[in-house]
Amino acid sequence: MIKYQNVSLYKANNAILQNLTFEIKAQEFFVLIGPSGSGKTTTIKLINRLIEQTDGDILFQGKRLKDFDLRELRLETGYVLQQIALFPNLTVEENIALIPDMKKWNKTDTLNKTKILLSKVGLNPTHYLHRLPHELSGGERQRVGILRAIIANPKVLLMDEPFSALDPISRAQLQELIKTLHQEYQMTTVFVTHDMEEALKLADRICLMKAGKIIQIGTPEELHHQPTSTFVSDFIQKRKM
């Protein structure tokens, strides 16, 4: 689905990412984790070309990302951030409909799907469609942000520490929710977190990074039971609750 081929990024002669070579499989829940400054967010931002690598190529369904029309690429990529970036002057319905509107979907179809999705995430459409973001809790706003990212059936969903600002109860609820949505819609999901417990709970495979390099990629079981270095085993043990 997504292939990194010897991808590096340099800024002012400093190596931010170094020779990343790995593949994210179709329909996989792939989690990037590592200490602060390890390059997780930078790595995910390369996929929708918010940042451009210095060297190497990234292939998306066999085609170089650099060869995609940028607007086309971003319309096919859902993106959820830690900062809940809803437009404050738009209702829940209008926020969720942004990408379908750009794709010129039929408005009735968009509204029907919006209602279905709101119901799936526990937000009664009758009560929430016409609310503004300031009328929602943090967990509710992040639910709406997730729906805005997935309503138009993106080929890949990028999530950059989406739950880290939430209270523990909301965080646990949204972890269960995104896992359920991933399984139902079979979205290829790339998820950044600093929380090993979250990574172990969500991931099909985990990519552990340090200082812009990949240290180990494997299933949660492989990292837990077959760490390739003391850094891997120490990182897992220190961050598990």
Side-chain angles (χ1 to χ4, degrees), residues 20-187:
L20 303 187
T21 297
F22 65 96
E23 181 176 359
I24 300 167
K25 302 171 185 176
Q27 302 179 359
E28 182 173 36
F29 202 117
F30 189 86
V31 174
L32 294 160
I33 193 167
S36 179
S38 60
K40 308 181 297 293
T41 292
T42 301
T43 299
I44 202 174
K45 285 183 175 179
L46 296 176
I47 296 174
N48 60 356
R49 289 175 55 192
L50 289 174
I51 298 173
E52 299 274 359
Q53 69 268 24
T54 308
D55 298 314
D57 282 313
I58 302 174
L59 304 183
F60 182 43
Q61 295 185 319
K63 179 179 176 180
R64 292 195 320 164
L65 284 181
K66 291 180 179 179
D67 295 332
F68 277 87
D69 173 80
L70 190 56
R71 183 176 185 275
E72 173 195 350
L73 176 68
R74 290 180 179 168
L75 285 176
E76 296 298 338
T77 306
Y79 195 29
V80 183
L81 300 167
Q82 175 183 340
Q83 300 79 15
I84 307 166
L86 301 181
F87 288 93
N89 59 324
L90 300 182
T91 65
V92 166
E93 177 186 354
E94 291 166 337
N95 265 286
I96 294 173
L98 284 170
I99 301 302
D101 285 349
M102 291 180 188
K103 290 188 167 186
K104 302 188 185 304
W105 280 23
N106 176 280
K107 290 189 179 298
T108 300
D109 292 342
T110 299
L111 178 57
N112 288 338
K113 188 165 184 181
T114 297
K115 290 178 177 178
I116 290 169
L117 288 173
L118 283 170
S119 297
K120 283 184 181 293
V121 302
L123 301 178
N124 186 322
T126 302
H127 298 148
Y128 284 92
L129 270 175
H130 304 299
R131 290 191 185 183
L132 292 168
H134 76 268
E135 299 175 294
L136 308 176
S137 69
E140 289 169 343
R141 289 196 298 273
Q142 198 61 300
R143 280 173 163 81
V144 174
I146 291 168
L147 298 187
R148 183 177 64 183
I150 71 171
I151 187 172
N153 306 313
K155 292 178 180 175
V156 60
L157 176 63
L158 309 179
M159 307 190 78
D160 189 2
E161 301 207 40
F163 309 143
S164 59
L166 301 176
D167 64 86
I169 293 175
S170 295
R171 184 171 187 156
Q173 290 173 340
L174 285 175
Q175 287 169 352
E176 292 294 336
L177 171 64
I178 196 60
K179 192 67 174 177
T180 299
L181 290 173
H182 171 77
Q183 291 169 347
E184 181 174 352
Y185 291 103
Q186 295 294 294
M187 296 174 290

Side-chain angles (χ1 to χ4, degrees), residues 5-22:
Q5 298 180 330
N6 300 311
V7 172
S8 296
L9 175 66
Y10 298 92
K11 289 186 178 179
N13 296 321
N14 294 320
I16 309 300
L17 301 174
Q18 301 181 59
N19 296 315
L20 303 187
T21 297
F22 65 96

